Amino acid sequence: MKQPKPVAVFDSGLGGISVLQELIRLMPQENYLYFGDSLNAPYGIKSTDEVLALTLKNIDFLLSRQAKAIVLACNTATSAAVTVLREKYHQIPIIGMEPALKPAINKLHGRIVVMATEVTLREQKFATLLDRYRAEAEIISLPASGIVNFVEQGITQGPELEAYLNEIMAPFHTPKVSGIVLGCTHFPFVKDSITKALGYEVEFFDGAEGTAKETQRQLHNNGLETDSTQPGNITFFNSNDNPKILSLCQQLLNSKKQQVL
Ligand code: DGL
């Protein structure tokens, strides 16, 4: 069979599962390796050098498992490491992520909030993105790393998460915002709780679908698509060896993106 090798998906923890869901929806016949570095999460409040070092180490692990492409299902790791990774491993496709500001601006005007980690919001990659679109809408950056810890524990609703979200969403009750960009792969799992804290419906944008489509394009352009017609398999790895993590991965994978777990 052609190309039974897996597509590797990497995140600082469990958030990248929101991207894995889209990859499987688009390319169910591929095999996937998912590595979450939950032991070291959150990445979004570390120094850029720390995130770079952790990402390089974990990508080496995935490459040692015969990955044919790497999906950085983490905006934070992409900001800190994608350039170095592409220089180091130019022989395989490395697909990165950025906050989905472009689709938001293409569709909406007015106030748009970009929720992401501190690392993503302070790095050059995001500054470049902002420069491109700042004339077209009022773009507000909102660091929201606190969400990562909740999702890492499987918490996507409930009083503690709500208290955190009520606090950070309070400035957006009035005037209302027209859209929210979820610039961290952990955040789509708490969409409903964000809407609740906001108090009104808003349009959400995340990079999962765009990243899955880009991965498909790159596999195709490099002749790396599998020719299998059977559903592929998914293997989860995590730096945290607590057995609960693997069932949490499965639980998040099976959850509907809009639904609360
Ligand atoms: N999931 C990661 C992202 O997309 C960040 C989570 C973390 O801070 O570890 O940015």
Side-chain angles (χ1 to χ4, degrees):
M1 190 201 299
K2 202 180 135 211
Q3 293 298 349
K5 287 183 176 177
V7 174
V9 183
F10 170 69
D11 182 45
S12 62
L14 309 179
I17 294 171
S18 62
V19 180
L20 182 62
Q21 287 179 322
E22 287 298 319
L23 286 162
I24 295 169
R25 206 171 58 80
L26 201 62
M27 297 178 285
Q29 70 287 1
E30 294 289 348
N31 294 324
Y32 295 96
L33 292 183
Y34 183 94
F35 184 88
D37 192 8
S38 294
L39 198 62
N40 293 301
Y43 277 16
I45 50 171
K46 294 187 191 304
S47 74
T48 306
D49 282 349
E50 273 177 286
V51 176
L52 174 63
L54 288 167
T55 304
L56 289 174
K57 180 173 148 235
N58 294 321
I59 297 304
D60 277 348
F61 167 77
L62 286 166
L63 289 171
S64 75
R65 315 289 301 205
Q66 309 304 318
K68 64 181 174 184
I70 303 279
V71 181
L72 293 173
C74 179
N75 295 261
T76 306
T78 302
S79 306
V82 75
T83 312
V84 176
L85 281 170
R86 288 197 178 127
E87 275 165 16
K88 198 168 170 204
Y89 302 112
H90 39 84
Q91 70 279 20
I92 70 161
I94 297 177
I95 298 94
M97 293 190 82
E98 66 181 16
L101 194 51
K102 184 178 173 193
I105 299 275
N106 285 344
K107 198 158 175 204
L108 304 172
H109 298 285
R111 301 179 91 201
I112 297 174
V113 176
V114 181
M115 298 174 73
T117 69
E118 282 77 349
V119 170
T120 299
L121 296 175
R122 74 164 184 247
E123 280 302 310
Q124 184 54 42
K125 203 171 186 301
F126 185 65
T128 309
L129 192 67
L130 261 191
D131 281 346
R132 201 175 311 147
Y133 297 112
R134 84 166 74 245
E136 299 183 42
E138 185 192 346
I139 303 164
I140 305 156
S141 301
L142 178 64
S145 278
I147 296 172
V148 177
N149 291 327
F150 287 105
V151 175
E152 285 295 310
Q153 295 170 68
I155 299 170
T156 57
Q157 58 177 327
E160 284 174 22
L161 174 63
E162 279 172 24
Y164 173 75
L165 291 174
N166 283 342
E167 197 180 321
I168 64 168
M169 300 318 288
F172 309 112
H173 290 155
T174 46
K176 289 186 175 177
V177 300
S178 46
I180 296 186
V181 175
L182 300 174
C184 168
T185 53
H186 283 72
F187 299 176
F189 293 115
V190 301
K191 237 185 233 183
D192 290 349
S193 295
I194 295 172
T195 305
K196 198 169 167 193
L198 204 55
Y200 55 91
E201 291 292 328
V202 72
E203 193 147 358
F204 286 101
F205 298 85
D206 70 59
E209 196 185 334
T211 303
K213 284 188 177 154
E214 179 59 20
T215 305
Q216 186 177 43
R217 230 179 338 260
Q218 297 232 18
L219 291 180
H220 179 74
N221 292 347
N222 290 285
L224 292 172
E225 286 165 310
T226 180
D227 59 5
S228 164
T229 51
Q230 303 302 313
N233 51 54
I234 303 150
T235 312
F236 285 108
F237 297 96
N238 200 290
S239 54
N240 181 343
D241 56 13
N242 184 334
K244 275 195 195 148
I245 289 273
L246 292 182
S247 60
L248 200 48
C249 288
Q250 205 56 52
Q251 199 184 329
L252 287 170
L253 185 65
N254 295 340
S255 71
K256 293 235 173 62
K257 277 175 83 190
Q258 295 275 358
Q259 217 174 47
V260 194
L261 284 175

